[in-house]
């Protein structure tokens, strides 16, 4: 079925049908839903070239994908991408991945924007004063940042979770249980989410006259093996932490293995709270001792990024609004009072 046939069946003009399919704000919600339902029912998909000519929009969301020998496939990114794809698929949007070596990232962003390959971009894993955000802001294409950067002299649109608040609350619970030596197994501390998490732990300890000792902090890419190595180095020390806050369930797999290999127990020898991005294949309640967690769905964040990008493409959203989502603290069997 082509656009002309769909329009005739709905008794609407081709212009109205096209605008409804592409999310233009002047089309009523009732008409848009009617058109979308008919298009789905009859298997209509707009021709990308025709859509670009008619609307000036490509119907594409772009992402510059870091590549190279040092880049691992991150399950957090895959889960985020699944949420983004779920929303995009249902709203006639496609995702374009543009691979780039670290040294070529800026060139790739400029090429993607200059070629008008995509209508909007999203940026993930921001760092302090992130040059990618500054560049995309300068280039003038709609964009959203998943996370936040500090040290930029302008506002920008973003979606983030309250990393500092989550790790503050987890640490405060440890302090209330009598723990004075709290360890942090963090993600890559060049990324701002990890900076916020360490800040939250430090703030909670400081409010009780305690300090987060540098020797009780480990930072690394969030993998099981890195979690294992970090936990062993912390727990083998003479003044080992009696409680640990961990940045990822994947790292916590390694922490649990290290505790077992050292003939220790959770929560008898060490209490553990981990961050949970709500992976369907890795559930905290299925650990040998159900893990207490700070919980926020990264898949939902992906869907929200896609939703806001679609709104920015269609003109329903502009400006530099940021969203910071609260994080749940879920208490299970992995914590106990300090000995």
């Amino acid at each position: 079925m082509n656009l002309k046939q769909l329009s005739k069946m709905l008794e609407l003009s081709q212009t109205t049908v096209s605008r409804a399919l592409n999310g233009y704000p002047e089309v009523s919600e009732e008409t848009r839903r009617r058109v979308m339902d008919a298009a789905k029912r009859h298997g209509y998909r707009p021709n990308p070239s025709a859509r670009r000519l008619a609307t000036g929009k490509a119907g594409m969301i772009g992402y510059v994908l870091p590549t190279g020998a040092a880049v691992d496939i991150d399950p957090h990114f895959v889960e985020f991408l699944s949420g983004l794809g779920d929303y995009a698929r249902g709203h006639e949007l496609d995702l374009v991945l543009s691979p780039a070596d670290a040294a070529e990232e800026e060139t790739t962003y400029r090429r993607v924007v200059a070629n008008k390959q995509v209508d909007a971009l999203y940026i993930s894993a921001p760092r302090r004063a992130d040059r990618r955000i500054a560049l995309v802001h300068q280039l003038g294409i709609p964009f959203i940042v998943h996370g936040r950067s500090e040290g930029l002299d302008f506002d920008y649109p973003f979606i983030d979770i309250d990393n500092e608040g989550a790790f503050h609350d987890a640490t405060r619970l440890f302090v209330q249980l009598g723990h004075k030596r709290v360890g942090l197994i963090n993600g890559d501390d060049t990324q701002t989410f990890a900076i916020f998490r360490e800040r939250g732990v430090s703030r909670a300890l400081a409010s009780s006259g305690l300090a987060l000792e540098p020797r009780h902090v480990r930072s690394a890419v969030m993998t099981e093996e890195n979690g294992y190595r970090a936990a062993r180095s912390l727990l083998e020390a003479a003044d080992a932490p009696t409680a640990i806050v961990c940045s990822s369930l994947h790292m916590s797999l390694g922490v649990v293995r290290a505790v077992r290999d050292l003939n220790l127990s959770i929560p008898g020898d060490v209490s553990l709270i981990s961050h949970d991005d709500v992976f369907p294949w890795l559930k905290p309640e299925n650990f040998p001792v159900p893990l207490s967690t700070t919980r926020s769905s990264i898949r939902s964040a992906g869907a929200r990024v896609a939703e806001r990008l679609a709104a920015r493409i269609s003109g329903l959203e502009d400006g530099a609004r940021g969203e910071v989502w609260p994080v749940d603290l879920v208490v299970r069997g992995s914590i106990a009072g300090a000995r």
Side-chain angles (χ1 to χ4, degrees):
M1 177 174 284
N2 59 34
L3 181 64
K4 183 177 180 180
Q5 292 168 326
L6 183 63
S7 303
K8 184 177 180 181
M9 182 189 71
L10 291 167
E11 298 182 343
L12 296 169
S13 70
Q14 291 185 45
T15 299
T16 298
V17 171
S18 176
R19 288 178 174 271
L21 290 168
N22 287 285
Y24 278 73
E26 60 265 32
V27 179
S28 71
E29 181 60 26
E30 180 183 352
T31 300
R32 189 194 68 80
R33 190 179 299 112
R34 181 178 163 222
V35 171
M36 295 294 288
D37 288 346
K40 184 176 182 179
R41 190 166 61 251
H42 294 280
Y44 171 79
R45 287 186 64 85
N47 179 285
S49 298
R51 177 168 59 183
R52 183 176 294 180
L53 287 171
T55 67
K57 306 293 184 185
M60 304 282 190
I61 294 171
Y63 178 72
V64 175
L65 178 68
T67 59
V71 177
D72 295 319
I73 297 176
D74 185 349
H76 303 85
F77 172 70
V78 173
E79 187 68 6
F80 174 86
L81 207 60
S82 296
L84 189 148
D86 287 343
Y87 184 91
R89 185 182 65 250
H91 293 78
E92 297 295 331
L93 290 170
D94 290 307
L95 178 65
V96 177
L97 300 179
S98 299
D101 186 83
E104 300 293 329
E105 241 183 344
E106 181 172 327
T107 301
T108 303
Y109 276 106
R110 291 185 182 277
R111 173 176 55 79
V112 167
V113 174
N115 291 346
K116 298 185 177 178
Q117 294 173 267
V118 300
D119 301 313
L121 291 163
Y122 82 90
I123 296 170
S124 66
R127 302 172 186 272
R128 277 191 53 83
D130 199 304
R131 293 175 58 184
R132 299 171 300 166
I133 300 173
L135 175 61
V136 172
H137 177 74
Q138 174 193 339
L139 293 173
I141 189 171
F143 72 96
I144 294 279
V145 179
H146 179 219
R148 281 174 285 171
S149 178
E150 295 184 307
L152 297 171
D153 60 359
F154 58 91
D155 295 326
Y156 55 89
F158 68 83
I159 294 167
D160 197 8
I161 65 171
D162 186 4
N163 284 293
E164 181 176 343
F167 276 51
H168 170 274
D169 291 349
T171 306
R172 182 176 60 184
L173 177 57
F174 281 148
V175 172
Q176 290 169 346
L177 289 170
H179 293 278
K180 299 184 183 303
R181 297 195 307 275
V182 177
L184 170 63
I185 299 178
N186 209 352
D188 178 359
D189 61 6
T190 66
Q191 296 182 9
T192 47
F193 82 89
I195 295 171
F196 287 131
R197 290 177 181 183
E198 182 170 341
R199 193 177 293 167
V201 174
S202 295
R203 183 162 60 86
L205 290 171
S207 66
S208 296
L210 303 171
L212 177 61
E213 302 293 344
R215 64 182 180 278
H216 289 158
V217 178
R218 300 290 183 274
S219 299
V221 175
M222 295 186 293
T223 66
E224 178 181 352
E225 185 59 28
N226 284 340
Y228 178 82
R229 293 174 180 174
R232 286 217 51 148
S233 67
L234 287 175
L235 296 174
E236 288 176 328
D239 62 342
T242 60
I244 292 174
V245 191
C246 184
S247 263
S248 163
L249 283 185
H250 291 274
M251 298 185 97
S252 290
L253 289 170
V255 174
V256 170
R257 182 157 56 92
V259 169
R260 182 195 64 208
D261 288 355
L262 293 170
N263 293 316
L264 301 175
S265 69
I266 296 173
D269 296 295
V270 59
S271 290
L272 177 62
I273 297 177
S274 178
H275 184 69
D276 176 19
D277 285 297
V278 194
F279 295 107
W281 64 87
L282 183 60
K283 296 184 179 297
E285 57 268 30
N286 292 340
F287 276 63
V289 176
L291 287 189
S292 298
T293 59
T294 56
R295 181 179 64 187
S296 182
S297 169
I298 196 169
R299 181 183 287 252
S300 296
R304 180 60 177 153
V305 165
E307 181 182 24
R308 286 191 59 188
L309 285 175
R312 295 181 79 82
I313 291 169
S314 64
L316 292 173
E317 176 185 311
D318 57 13
R321 181 168 58 88
E323 291 181 27
V324 180
W325 293 6
V327 179
D328 298 324
L329 176 60
V330 183
V331 176
R332 299 186 181 91
S334 64
I335 63 173
R339 293 181 301 170

